[in-house]
Amino acid sequence: MKIGVLTGGGDCPGLNAAIRAVVRRATCYKYDVLGIKNGWAGMIRGNMEPLTSKSVSGILPIGGTMLGTSRTNPMKREGDMNRVQENFKAFGMTALIAIGGDDTLSVAYKLFQLGMPVVGVPKTMDNDILETDYCIGFDSAVTTVVEALDKLHTTASAHHRAMVVEVMGRDAGWVATVGGLAGGADFIMIPEASCSLDELCQHLKNRLARGKSFSIIVVSEGAQIPEIHNGDLGKTDDFGHIRLDRRGVGETVAREIESRTGLEARVVVLGHLQRGGSPTVFDRVLATRLGVAAVDLVRESKFGYVPMLRGNQIVPVELARVVAGTRTVDLDLYELAKVFF
Ligand code: F6P
């Protein structure tokens, strides 16, 4: 058995923990492991190297991914899917483990449909993969958001300002909702619950009237705000995604607050800080469990599956169900956060 392993899409803390778990579990079964460089780009170009227990030693607490990553989509350019399949054979692989979000897993599903023995592992700080309660990277990202909110509270309070904090979250507002809930946000704007600037500014005025001289507003980069139109955000990536940081939603919200409420406003864009640093305990344990479970699925020849966290159990779920859509925020959780606005 020779297992190829790759990490695709945006990085996040916990990827190295998952790679280490794959290699260590594979070693238990005397399987060889090939580390594929830079996501699907490495499969297209045949860029890979053997991984051993020694080569993954010490990577558990380190952010990023020792394999590198990319947003390369082999379904985009003619011939690339064939190259992936040819390299799979040429390098003597007998199974492939793809660690990634919805984009990476959609490629894995296509390859599985074409006959490749593939297993997926769910990671994305956006936490928007269907069929799992948590994805690798989310807990670490949201912990960074909460640390920032704790710090921003003191300066916002000292200056009696509105502090707008823009966080990541392309299609789903999990980072904003859970981060805002845990960090005591006074307003949260997410893609799932359209909310106007009028509504936000009225809320801030009401808070002022209640004697609350400062407010923390957490805004998802993909928040649905009727008054904000995207305009031209430049070219899309291989999977058709625009650069949401170019929307500048936090900046617009802060400007509007100043002109409509008289409050002084500042904006903080947390950006890629959310994707850096050492994984939390939760992400280390989750990544380790999922990496081990992925190798066990390979051992059972259960291809076309992804190990997922349901409650406290790891259960295998068909890739077809995983890539069928996006897991958006549970609006009950958003309502709960609103209790504290
Ligand atoms: O897909 C995860 C994500 O973190 C999104 O929340 C964000 O829009 C995107 O990646 C940014 O990715 P990058 O700047 O690395 O292309």
Side-chain angles (χ1 to χ4, degrees), residues 22-144:
V22 166
V23 174
R24 294 290 294 273
R25 185 56 149 187
T27 308
C28 295
Y29 298 137
K30 302 200 172 11
Y31 297 164
D32 291 330
V33 182
L34 268 183
I36 299 149
K37 300 292 183 69
N38 306 321
W40 295 115
M43 280 301 286
I44 295 167
R45 295 184 196 129
N47 186 5
M48 44 196 94
E49 65 177 25
L51 293 180
T52 61
S53 286
K54 196 169 172 210
S55 54
V56 298
S57 173
I59 65 170
L60 171 68
I62 301 173
T65 159
M66 70 173 290
L67 295 174
T69 187
S70 72
R71 295 195 184 273
T72 306
N73 180 0
M75 299 193 287
K76 173 107 174 156
R77 278 163 290 270
E78 217 186 303
D80 279 354
M81 283 300 263
N82 285 340
R83 280 178 204 107
V84 169
Q85 290 171 292
E86 280 159 20
N87 279 326
F88 182 82
K89 284 196 199 113
F91 283 84
M93 283 183 246
T94 46
L96 178 66
I97 295 178
I99 306 171
D102 48 357
D103 295 334
T104 305
L105 296 180
S106 67
V107 176
Y109 179 52
K110 186 69 200 165
L111 288 166
F112 171 69
Q113 287 179 308
L114 294 170
M116 193 182 279
V118 179
V119 165
V121 171
K123 76 81 216 172
T124 168
M125 59 151 289
D126 289 353
N127 208 35
D128 59 357
I129 301 179
L130 284 177
E131 303 285 341
T132 186
D133 293 345
Y134 285 97
C135 305
I136 297 170
F138 171 68
D139 188 68
S140 306
V142 92
T143 298
T144 297

Side-chain angles (χ1 to χ4, degrees), residues 71 124-126 168-170 221 244 272 275:
R71 295 195 184 273
T124 168
M125 59 151 289
D126 289 353
M168 282 187 174
R170 182 182 292 286
E221 60 181 357
L244 286 174
H272 294 80
R275 301 224 306 243

